Amino acid sequence: MMRRLIPHPGLSALLVAVWLLLANSISAGALVVGIVVGIALPVFTAPFWPDRPRVNFGLGLAYLLMVLWDIVIANFEVAAIILFRRSRDLRPTWLVIPIALQTPEAITVLAATISLTPGTVSADVSACGRYLLVHALDAVDPDAEIARIKSRYESRLQQVFA
């Protein structure tokens, strides 16, 4: 019974939190609407998610904090590049990153992580789902950049979505 009412509890909680942030208020009315949205959307979309991914929320929270830290650091790095380096000294490059992640949700989180981090943007996932095309603003050593993304993000996401 509870599984039919709240088929995706993590998604429901996230929707309530996002609704409260969008409402910019923690009033009773905003909370009620957030709860209704948080319950209704997963119920109506549950048939489209037959194989819902298993997520380790503790590791997911640690991953989120690490990504937030990386975003802050990358902002300073990109600002330094923009302010102190000439355009002709930049080494922009396309990276083709082989990915071992299995679920579409994990691949989406990896692509979003890369795009949220200043200096890189995910451009495409290959048709077979095994490669991610990423543009880097300044990559001195493309192979090292690929290894960093795989070790820092992909390996942790494999644990989060295990």
Side-chain angles (χ1 to χ4, degrees):
M1 175 64 181
M2 191 62 157
R3 178 61 93 200
R4 283 194 324 192
L5 179 62
I6 305 176
H8 303 287
L11 178 61
S12 294
L14 180 65
L15 287 170
V16 171
V18 168
W19 182 264
L20 292 174
L21 288 171
L22 288 172
N24 200 23
S25 170
I26 303 183
S27 65
L31 185 60
V32 168
V33 172
I35 291 171
V36 168
V37 168
I39 291 174
L41 279 177
V43 166
F44 290 123
T45 61
F48 303 109
W49 291 38
D51 298 323
R52 130 181 144 190
R54 302 214 189 300
V55 177
N56 182 322
F57 288 102
L59 291 175
L61 180 61
Y63 180 81
L64 176 65
L65 293 173
M66 179 198 65
V67 169
L68 290 173
W69 176 255
D70 287 354
I71 290 170
V72 170
I73 298 302
N75 271 297
F76 286 108
E77 290 172 348
V78 169
I81 289 170
I82 291 169
L83 293 173
F84 302 115
R85 298 216 6 231
R86 294 179 301 205
S87 295
R88 66 176 177 243
D89 294 336
L90 291 179
R91 291 168 302 275
T93 193
W94 288 100
L95 308 171
V96 178
I97 302 173
I99 49 179
L101 297 170
Q102 299 297 317
T103 65
E105 294 83 7
I107 295 169
T108 301
V109 172
L110 176 63
T113 298
I114 292 169
S115 292
L116 286 170
T117 307
T120 56
V121 65
S122 298
D124 197 12
V125 177
S126 66
C128 65
R130 304 284 29 115
Y131 299 94
L132 186 63
L133 181 63
V134 174
H135 184 267
L137 175 66
D138 186 44
V140 177
D141 183 2
D143 292 331
E145 189 66 24
I146 291 170
R148 185 187 69 81
I149 289 171
K150 289 187 70 59
S151 67
R152 184 142 179 98
Y153 300 127
E154 185 185 34
S155 65
R156 285 182 170 94
L157 283 174
Q158 286 176 325
Q159 295 171 353
V160 170
F161 286 94

